[in-house]
Amino acid sequence: MTGDRSGEGTSGTQAVDRAAALLTRIVEADGPVTFGELTEEFGLARSTTSRLLAALERGRLVERTGPGAYRGGPLFVLYAARHDRTQQLARLALPMLEQLGEETRETSHLAVANGGRLEHVAQVDGTYLLGAVNWNDVEVPLHCSALGKVLLAWKQVELPEGRLAAPTDQTITLRSDLEWDLEWVREHGYAVTHDELEIGLSGVAAPVFGPDDDVVAAVGVSGPTARLEQRAEEVGQLLVHHARTLSRRLQPGTPTEGAT
């Protein structure tokens, strides 16, 4: 590319070409690329590099990872999330999970349906010492989990044949009772469990809808029953709000402002 050591500004097609070249270099790199590296590699004036990067950053095509370092921006994450419903969706949802953690002080989760089972794909630990459990590698019966009930209620997974597992004496084990519970979930927009997976453990969860208006994930909060039981409705409404905001971000043509 022709050097720009004169410090003169760029405009029109030339500016677009240069911005595209910078963006390609950043996105294809194995790690963040520094301002100095970009300026030197493309032979641009520092002021030109700064203007182009600022435009790309405003468009959410790049983001800063530290002083003078850049990587692909949130717009790429959003695009990927609309096609990849696991890792990229988890990254897109992370700010929401962090905010839920701040607002509830409990552990927040994101889960998806995978091969007929519940898969935890992201978690942000709460600030309470009691209740911070890593669920990402734990397989949980669908009907014992608020996240699982959300996926069951919107037909993203099916219950296995045979008797329903009963980890506690509070677990719903009759399919007719579970169907009534799932109808309640659909009516209220969130699911609740108290002591159904483990005595002393409660969970609340709400659905996240994708571009085709199907449920692509469930977002939830878990913690001790002593703390969550009296707050279930409050937390449920909070989850519904955040889940709807994330759902809107997954719709085509939606602006990519913050998820919460």
Side-chain angles (χ1 to χ4, degrees):
M1 180 176 291
T2 303
D4 186 25
R5 297 302 184 187
S6 66
E8 297 180 357
T10 58
S11 62
T13 303
Q14 185 182 52
V16 173
D17 288 344
R18 287 175 170 174
L22 291 176
L23 179 61
T24 300
R25 173 68 175 86
I26 292 168
V27 172
E28 291 182 344
D30 292 333
V33 183
T34 69
F35 178 91
E37 289 172 335
L38 293 168
T39 300
E40 182 66 26
E41 183 173 337
F42 290 94
L44 299 173
R46 292 177 62 85
S47 59
T48 300
T49 305
S50 180
R51 285 195 297 271
L52 294 175
L53 288 172
L56 292 172
E57 193 172 7
R58 286 195 299 272
R60 299 175 66 82
L61 289 164
V62 301
E63 64 181 2
R64 282 183 250 197
T65 63
Y70 294 83
R71 68 180 178 187
L75 192 62
F76 289 101
V77 179
L78 178 61
Y79 179 83
R82 286 170 175 163
H83 301 277
D84 178 349
R85 295 179 176 181
T86 53
Q87 183 177 1
Q88 297 298 338
L89 179 58
R91 180 180 169 189
L92 188 66
L94 185 59
M96 175 192 66
L97 296 179
E98 291 174 339
Q99 185 165 347
L100 278 170
E102 292 177 2
E103 293 172 341
T104 67
R105 298 187 63 193
E106 306 290 358
T107 300
S108 57
H109 319 263
L110 185 75
V112 299
N114 184 4
R117 56 183 287 271
L118 176 72
E119 179 182 358
H120 289 82
V121 295
Q123 173 174 314
V124 172
D125 291 339
T127 57
Y128 291 111
L129 291 178
L130 181 61
V133 176
N134 188 343
W135 293 97
N136 286 354
D137 296 320
V138 178
E139 186 163 353
V140 176
L142 295 166
H143 65 292
C144 303
S145 158
L147 294 163
K149 285 184 181 182
V150 166
L151 299 178
L152 285 168
W154 274 273
K155 309 297 184 183
Q156 297 307 299
V157 288
E158 298 290 339
L159 283 172
E161 296 295 331
R163 298 180 62 181
L164 297 177
T168 79
D169 59 7
Q170 298 299 310
T171 306
I172 297 175
T173 56
L174 293 178
R175 290 176 184 263
S176 57
D177 291 343
L178 182 60
E179 284 300 328
W180 180 89
D181 193 30
L182 297 180
E183 180 60 34
W184 188 97
V185 173
R186 288 187 289 270
E187 180 180 343
H188 289 79
Y190 64 91
V192 177
T193 57
H194 295 310
D195 304 329
E196 296 176 40
L197 177 64
E198 180 180 304
I199 295 297
L201 177 67
S202 287
V204 188
V208 177
F209 292 87
D212 299 321
D213 290 328
D214 57 334
V215 171
V216 298
V219 59
V221 165
S222 67
T225 299
R227 288 200 302 260
L228 274 181
E229 189 168 20
Q230 301 303 317
R231 302 174 59 204
E233 182 177 357
E234 171 196 343
V235 173
Q237 294 301 327
L238 184 65
L239 285 165
V240 168
H241 166 72
H242 285 296
R244 284 176 177 169
T245 304
L246 180 58
S247 297
R248 286 195 295 270
R249 295 196 72 205
L250 297 177
Q251 303 307 311
T254 303
T256 60
E257 284 79 16
T260 54

